[in-house]
Amino acid sequence: MKKNIFLLAFVVIAQLGFGQYATQQALYSNLPQARYYNAGIFPEYAGYFSIPGLSGYGATISNSGFSFSDLFVNGNIELNNFVQHLSDKNNLNFGLATDIIGFGFKVKRNYFSLNITSKSEMNLGYNRALFDFILNGNANYIGKDLSLDGFAFDASSYLETGIGYARDVNEKLNIGGRAKVLIGVVNINGDFNGIKLHTDENDYSLTATSDFSIKAYGTFLVHDSINNAWGEPSVFNPSNIGFGLDLGATYQYSDKLTLYGSIVDLGFINWKDNGEELYNDGSKFKFDGFAYSDLEESDDDDDDDFFTDLGDSLASVFELKRSRVSYRTQLKTRLYLGGRYELNKFISTDLLIH
């Protein structure tokens, strides 16, 4: 009877994890969304259909740098304790995914599926030194360089259309894959590895050296003057095309032990037309500080003028440049390895390495 059931997929998932869907779905082999983690799963059910607009929501957040408790000491917020627990390089990730439509069906020892899914993700890399500098100043960096190595970001929104196939090869082995066509909607990415701050050991002045690039499509970086020259960026541009691939397999090692592995999101997106690059190629800016009395004795309008002038000086010295570009971003490829051991017919244990 189990093989004749046709499922309606109606799933809402939210968790602290990585990627667009909750990672533990990979453990639920009879959940349709589990195949987003392992395309090699051959389900027992005959098929499923996702209700448009209601099925397969996923919202995730994860970080590698700290836990919530690191913010507190004896019940009080202690930011320095937070900084001390950070690694030299850290990552913060957000993900959202919504199945617009999805269905799958079995034909003998073959399983076919299709999904159209809206995905958004943001990946932020940051380092401990920058937080230490912000909180404690440059006293620990006199005569040294403070590098922003590891500080990078990549945020994208795109539409995924995937066609999946799985094969029940024999009683022990199942294999499968999913080919995906991707249409990019919005992207902004960049890294600041080329930015360094040096504190002079004699007068403690701060010299910044910058060499960075930010690329974007469909964001606030596109100015009206550029729009007039290039045209308004399209909300849905079919030229922003990319391709992806998922591969997976499950192997019944014994009556009690099942092994599985998969690789997800091998691929890229090309960003065409109206792409923009904001960049700088190694200019320097020296900051000697300013007298507090200059601000103390000034009125609000003078304050505004002071910071406006400082911002204009930074933009001028750093010589920020803009250009129209086409570029490519890589998907964030993920690898999963795991196994399930049946203790008895009621209890099983899983191990998942991500």
Side-chain angles (χ1 to χ4, degrees), residues 17-67:
F18 178 84
Q20 294 94 359
Y21 285 96
T23 306
Q24 67 262 29
Q25 287 189 38
L27 307 178
Y28 308 143
S29 59
N30 271 331
L31 188 68
Q33 282 78 13
R35 302 191 71 255
Y36 293 141
Y37 288 94
N38 184 358
I41 292 175
F42 194 85
E44 296 180 358
Y45 49 82
Y48 79 95
F49 177 75
S50 294
I51 300 173
L54 294 176
S55 302
Y57 286 87
T60 62
I61 178 174
S62 71
N63 84 89
S64 66
F66 63 93
S67 63

Side-chain angles (χ1 to χ4, degrees), residues 283-340:
S283 298
K284 292 185 177 181
F285 175 77
K286 185 175 182 180
F287 180 63
D288 297 308
F290 56 85
Y292 177 73
S293 58
D294 292 343
L295 292 179
E296 187 178 39
E297 296 172 0
S298 63
D299 56 29
D300 291 339
D301 290 338
D302 291 335
D303 291 350
D304 293 339
D305 291 341
F306 174 83
F307 288 109
T308 299
D309 291 343
L310 178 60
D312 291 342
S313 297
L314 285 170
S316 175
V317 172
F318 279 124
E319 299 177 353
L320 299 182
K321 303 172 184 177
R322 295 175 182 270
S323 63
R324 183 179 182 179
V325 294
S326 295
Y327 62 97
R328 172 178 293 186
T329 57
Q330 302 295 323
L331 299 182
K332 301 302 179 289
T333 305
R334 290 163 283 154
L335 178 68
Y336 298 92
L337 296 172
R340 172 177 297 125

Side-chain angles (χ1 to χ4, degrees), residues 69-109:
S69 61
D70 294 336
L71 290 168
F72 300 91
V73 174
N74 297 325
N76 299 313
I77 294 178
E78 179 53 65
L79 294 181
N80 277 311
N81 187 67
F82 157 77
V83 172
Q84 290 172 7
H85 282 85
L86 292 176
S87 301
D88 290 337
K89 296 182 181 181
N90 310 272
N91 293 289
L92 179 65
N93 314 101
F94 299 90
L96 292 172
T98 304
D99 281 342
I100 299 172
I101 192 170
F103 62 86
F105 56 91
K106 186 185 297 185
V107 179
K108 297 182 179 180
R109 299 174 67 176

Side-chain angles (χ1 to χ4, degrees), residues 2-315:
K2 187 180 294 184
K3 293 185 178 181
N4 295 322
I5 294 176
F6 195 90
L7 297 180
L8 286 178
F10 184 82
V11 181
V12 177
I13 295 291
Q15 72 138 27
L16 294 178
F18 178 84
Q20 294 94 359
Y21 285 96
T23 306
Q24 67 262 29
Q25 287 189 38
L27 307 178
Y28 308 143
S29 59
N30 271 331
L31 188 68
Q33 282 78 13
R35 302 191 71 255
Y36 293 141
Y37 288 94
N38 184 358
I41 292 175
F42 194 85
E44 296 180 358
Y45 49 82
Y48 79 95
F49 177 75
S50 294
I51 300 173
L54 294 176
S55 302
Y57 286 87
T60 62
I61 178 174
S62 71
N63 84 89
S64 66
F66 63 93
S67 63
F68 186 71
S69 61
D70 294 336
L71 290 168
F72 300 91
V73 174
N74 297 325
N76 299 313
I77 294 178
E78 179 53 65
L79 294 181
N80 277 311
N81 187 67
F82 157 77
V83 172
Q84 290 172 7
H85 282 85
L86 292 176
S87 301
D88 290 337
K89 296 182 181 181
N90 310 272
N91 293 289
L92 179 65
N93 314 101
F94 299 90
L96 292 172
T98 304
D99 281 342
I100 299 172
I101 192 170
F103 62 86
F105 56 91
K106 186 185 297 185
V107 179
K108 297 182 179 180
R109 299 174 67 176
N110 307 289
Y111 192 84
F112 303 91
S113 64
L114 181 141
N115 70 285
I116 301 177
T117 304
S118 173
K119 292 186 175 182
S120 298
E121 60 182 28
M122 187 193 79
N123 303 278
L124 173 66
Y126 59 97
N127 65 11
R128 178 173 56 188
L130 179 61
F131 281 89
D132 182 43
F133 179 83
I134 293 172
L135 287 176
N136 302 308
N138 59 349
N140 294 327
Y141 300 95
I142 295 175
K144 302 177 182 178
D145 285 337
L146 169 65
S147 174
L148 297 192
D149 184 26
F151 194 93
F153 60 89
D154 186 356
S156 294
S157 179
Y158 59 93
L159 186 68
E160 172 188 294
T161 300
I163 299 176
Y165 172 76
R167 171 73 175 177
D168 182 12
V169 178
N170 53 48
E171 61 181 13
K172 287 185 174 292
L173 179 64
N174 299 323
I175 60 173
R178 179 183 296 103
K180 302 183 287 189
V181 177
L182 314 172
I183 301 295
V185 179
V186 174
N187 172 261
I188 181 169
N189 73 88
D191 71 70
F192 297 92
N193 291 346
I195 296 182
K196 294 181 180 179
L197 305 175
H198 179 81
T199 301
D200 189 273
E201 57 189 356
N202 296 314
D203 60 10
Y204 308 125
S205 62
L206 194 65
T207 300
T209 304
S210 71
D211 186 0
F212 68 91
S213 170
I214 299 174
K215 295 184 176 71
Y217 178 89
T219 72
F220 62 89
L221 290 180
V222 180
H223 285 186
D224 291 338
S225 60
I226 295 178
N227 288 340
N228 292 336
W230 298 351
E232 293 283 350
S234 174
V235 175
F236 185 82
N237 184 357
S239 296
N240 292 342
I241 193 168
F243 301 94
L245 182 66
D246 301 343
L247 299 170
T250 62
Y251 182 72
Q252 189 74 40
Y253 181 80
S254 67
D255 291 341
K256 292 184 175 292
L257 179 61
T258 302
L259 304 175
Y260 48 88
S262 65
I263 187 166
V264 177
D265 280 342
L266 278 168
F268 61 89
I269 300 177
N270 290 317
W271 303 89
K272 300 279 190 177
D273 309 323
N274 292 313
E276 183 184 4
E277 182 179 20
L278 176 69
Y279 63 97
N280 169 267
D281 51 7
S283 298
K284 292 185 177 181
F285 175 77
K286 185 175 182 180
F287 180 63
D288 297 308
F290 56 85
Y292 177 73
S293 58
D294 292 343
L295 292 179
E296 187 178 39
E297 296 172 0
S298 63
D299 56 29
D300 291 339
D301 290 338
D302 291 335
D303 291 350
D304 293 339
D305 291 341
F306 174 83
F307 288 109
T308 299
D309 291 343
L310 178 60
D312 291 342
S313 297
L314 285 170

